[in-house]
């Protein structure tokens, strides 16, 4: 739910693409298969996001609302590193298959939950599977597609969100209202069958095995145990920080400090050197991915809850308010994939982050009764357009800057930055939300009562959205540092 293309001169000098590009005979089955996987993930994200306000209210777990999202990203931090190592050494096929299985198992766990804590556990299992899947897919793209085709397949990934963004909220809302929210979780695993049947055989033919195996290259080294330990540290540290942020007691400082002690050295060891100093080149690409995703998702997770509790919308309408964003995100990703945009790439990414900041600032205007609720849909369409420009570009640039044997490790670093920013910003937003009375929002049994009960807590939403907008503006500055400065010749 992505970085700079080759320069125009390089593209012009390259041989012609196979007929039909990514849907030509050489790539059609593989493209359809991996796009099906993305489609499944996209449908889950939009459907579960629509149902979650009802889940939290019925299970008396609004105080754990942010955890239901951040738990996904916490466990994915570990599985992303594992997937990077696994893919570089044995190929992406196995981590992808295991990841899809774990993703489905987590959905079943959440769907069978009787308390909010079990929902959070299921989301954590999903996150483990999702982390394996997304890194494995990046490795597939890096190994199976020629460089000039990668922007197109990344744009297709974004386009695969369009239908789920429109159908997902409607379907999930209707199921939630008429059959119950459990069937939103329990029905989605059926979608796993199609990606497994289509994607895995195609990947086995085109991108299985370790790098160099098909040419008789050296067998890759064993798993890097140090990186695995760091991955455990980053996941455990993020979990402790989330717990401390939600507990809001003085004693919670202890797990918070322990989490930071685990998290900081692990992050420094897993991300490219200079990432948090926004060093030019790959470190800034990785940093921008996290800043953009964290700010946007940190705000978006609270949009349906805000509309349900503050404006009395049904889950269907609240989720559908974000549907247009799927279309504009795909449009932004398509725009970044066009060769004629290459000379203006950095400017487009700066503009994209400004769009994200403006969208996040505009969304809480619906807390004012006189502001129409469609304002959120319009604002999120603008922000999603910016995200399409930024996320699409960071992904392609990362693969362009990575050697084949480092594609898994670097893809994991990009996804770690994405997931870690989501965890940290969701934890911070959730803590601020709870501190200003957000845990009481939506406690009533019906929408009208919920709106009345939550009407006294608009500040709980403001302290989520305003800081996220500031983070997005920081991302606009980071987007100016994606290129190395050319060396100045002496003499």
């Amino acid at each position: 739910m992505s970085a700079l293309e080759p320069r125009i001169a390089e593209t012009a000098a390259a041989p012609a693409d196979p007929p039909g590009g990514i849907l030509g005979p050489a790539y059609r089955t593989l493209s359809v298969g991996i796009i099906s996987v993305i489609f499944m993930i996209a449908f889950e994200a939009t459907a579960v996001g629509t149902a979650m306000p009802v889940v939290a209210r019925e299970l008396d777990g609004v105080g754990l609302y942010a955890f239901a999202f951040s738990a996904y990203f916490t466990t994915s931090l570990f599985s992303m590193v594992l997937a990077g190592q696994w893919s570089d050494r044995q190929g992406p096929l196995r981590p992808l298959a295991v990841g899809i299985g774990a993703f489905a198992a987590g959905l079943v766990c959440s769907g069978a939950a009787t308390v909010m804590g079990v929902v959070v556990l299921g989301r954590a299992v999903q996150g483990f599977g999702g982390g394996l899947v997304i890194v494995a897919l990046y490795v597939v793209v890096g190994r199976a597609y020629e460089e000039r085709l990668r922007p197109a397949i990344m744009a297709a990934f974004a386009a695969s969100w369009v239908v789920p963004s429109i159908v997902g909220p409607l379907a999930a809302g209707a199921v939630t209202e008429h059959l119950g929210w459990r069937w939103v979780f329990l029905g989605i695993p059926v979608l796993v069958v199609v990606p497994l049947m289509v994607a895995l055989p195609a990947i086995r033919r085109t991108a299985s095995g370790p790098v160099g195996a098909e040419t008789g290259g050296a067998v890759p080294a064993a798993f890097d145990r140090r990186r695995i330990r760091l991955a455990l540290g980053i996941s455990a540290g993020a979990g402790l920080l989330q717990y401390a942020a939600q507990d809001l007691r003085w004693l919670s400082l202890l797990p918070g400090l322990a989490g930071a002690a685990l998290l900081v050295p692990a992050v420094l060891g897993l991300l490219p050197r200079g990432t948090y100093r926004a060093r030019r080149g790959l470190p800034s690409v990785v940093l921008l991915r996290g800043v953009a995703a964290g700010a946007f998702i940190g705000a978006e997770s609270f949009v349906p809850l805000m509309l349900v509790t503050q404006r009395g919308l049904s889950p269907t309408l609240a989720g559908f308010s974000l549907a247009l964003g799927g279309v504009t995100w795909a449009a932004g990703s398509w725009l970044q994939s066009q060769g004629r945009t290459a000379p203006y790439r950095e400017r487009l990414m700066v503009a994209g982050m400004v769009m994200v900041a403006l969208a996040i600032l505009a969304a809480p205007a619906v807390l004012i009764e006189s502001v129409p609720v469609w304002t959120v849909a319009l604002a999120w369409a603008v922000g999603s357009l910016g995200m399409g420009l930024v996320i699409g570009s960071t992904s392609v640039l990362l693969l362009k800057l990575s050697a084949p044997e480092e594609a898994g490790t670097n893809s994991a670093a990009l996804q770690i930055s994405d997931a870690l920013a989501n965890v940290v910003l969701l934890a911070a937003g959730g803590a601020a939300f709870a501190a200003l009375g957000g845990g009481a929002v939506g406690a009533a049994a019906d929408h009208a009562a919920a709106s009345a009960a939550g009407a006294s807590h608009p500040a709980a939403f403001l302290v989520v959205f305003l800081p996220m907008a500031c983070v997005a503006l920081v991302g606009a500055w980071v987007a100016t540092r994606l290129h190395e400065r050319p060396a100045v010749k002496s003499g």
Side-chain angles (χ1 to χ4, degrees), residues 403-430:
E405 66 275 11
E406 297 175 344
T409 298
N410 289 344
S411 295
L414 189 75
Q415 298 301 328
I416 287 170
S417 177
D418 187 318
L420 181 62
N422 278 298
V423 168
V424 172
L425 291 178
L426 276 169

Side-chain angles (χ1 to χ4, degrees), residues 37-199:
V37 176
I38 296 295
F39 183 92
M40 180 267 290
I41 294 173
F43 193 86
E44 179 276 338
T46 56
V48 170
T50 299
M52 195 60 72
V54 176
V55 177
R57 189 169 58 205
E58 289 193 5
L59 298 182
D60 194 25
V62 175
L64 296 176
Y65 183 82
F67 258 134
F69 293 95
S70 59
Y72 181 102
F73 299 110
T74 300
T75 52
S76 69
L77 287 167
F78 170 72
S79 63
M80 286 170 182
V81 177
L82 177 63
Q85 300 252 324
W86 199 351
S87 297
D88 283 343
R89 285 154 179 76
Q90 298 181 15
L93 183 64
R94 290 181 180 177
L96 182 60
V98 172
I100 291 176
F103 193 84
L107 284 166
V108 173
C109 179
S110 294
T114 57
V115 295
M116 192 65 178
V118 177
V119 174
V120 173
L121 174 63
R123 294 287 289 166
V125 175
Q126 273 186 263
F128 178 82
L132 292 175
V133 169
I134 194 65
V135 172
L137 285 180
Y138 271 64
V139 175
V140 170
V141 171
R143 292 178 59 178
Y145 291 86
E146 298 178 46
E147 184 176 330
R148 63 184 179 275
L149 294 179
R150 293 173 191 164
I153 190 64
M154 292 298 179
F157 282 2
S160 67
W161 280 76
V162 174
V163 172
S165 295
I166 297 172
V167 176
L170 290 174
V175 170
T176 299
E177 292 175 29
H178 298 291
L179 298 178
W181 60 264
R182 296 183 187 280
W183 289 105
V184 174
F185 290 88
L186 297 176
I188 293 174
V190 176
L191 296 176
V192 173
V193 175
V194 173
L196 279 174
M197 293 179 62
V198 178

Side-chain angles (χ1 to χ4, degrees), residues 236-428:
L240 288 170
L241 283 178
Q242 289 176 78
Y243 173 80
Q246 291 292 314
D247 195 36
L248 297 179
R249 293 183 299 172
W250 286 108
L251 287 177
S252 66
L253 287 174
L254 294 177
L257 291 172
L262 289 170
L263 191 65
V264 172
V267 169
L268 294 177
L270 290 172
L271 298 186
R273 184 173 298 178
T275 296
Y276 287 102
R277 290 185 286 106
R279 196 176 77 185
R280 289 185 173 274
L282 182 61
S284 284
V285 172
V286 172
L287 177 60
L288 178 61
R289 178 59 164 262
V291 170
F296 190 80
I297 300 300
E300 185 180 62
S301 299
F302 285 86
V303 169
L305 185 67
M306 179 173 65
L307 293 176
V308 168
T309 61
Q310 303 298 299
R311 297 301 296 267
L313 268 65
S314 68
T316 303
L317 290 177
F320 195 63
S321 67
L322 306 177
L324 184 59
V327 178
T328 56
W329 188 311
S333 188
W334 174 84
L335 182 61
Q336 66 80 32
S337 72
Q338 304 304 296
R340 61 181 178 273
T341 63
Y344 312 103
R345 179 73 57 179
E346 187 172 291
R347 295 179 186 177
L348 285 174
M349 296 178 75
V350 172
M353 289 309 304
V354 172
M355 291 178 193
V356 172
L358 292 176
I360 296 173
L361 282 173
V366 298
L367 293 169
I368 303 171
E369 287 291 332
S370 59
V371 175
V373 293
W374 53 258
T375 301
V376 170
L378 180 61
W380 230 247
V382 173
S384 297
L385 177 63
M387 287 294 287
L389 293 171
V390 173
I391 299 300
S393 294
T394 55
S395 298
V396 178
L397 181 57
L398 178 108
L399 294 175
K400 180 178 174 64
L401 297 175
S402 300
E405 66 275 11
E406 297 175 344
T409 298
N410 289 344
S411 295
L414 189 75
Q415 298 301 328
I416 287 170
S417 177
D418 187 318
L420 181 62
N422 278 298
V423 168
V424 172
L425 291 178
L426 276 169

Side-chain angles (χ1 to χ4, degrees), residues 209-261:
V211 174
E214 67 277 4
T215 59
V219 177
F223 279 77
D224 186 337
R225 294 183 179 180
R226 175 180 174 274
R227 289 186 68 84
I228 297 299
R229 288 195 298 269
L230 290 175
L232 286 171
I234 199 173
S235 190
L240 288 170
L241 283 178
Q242 289 176 78
Y243 173 80
Q246 291 292 314
D247 195 36
L248 297 179
R249 293 183 299 172
W250 286 108
L251 287 177
S252 66
L253 287 174
L254 294 177
L257 291 172

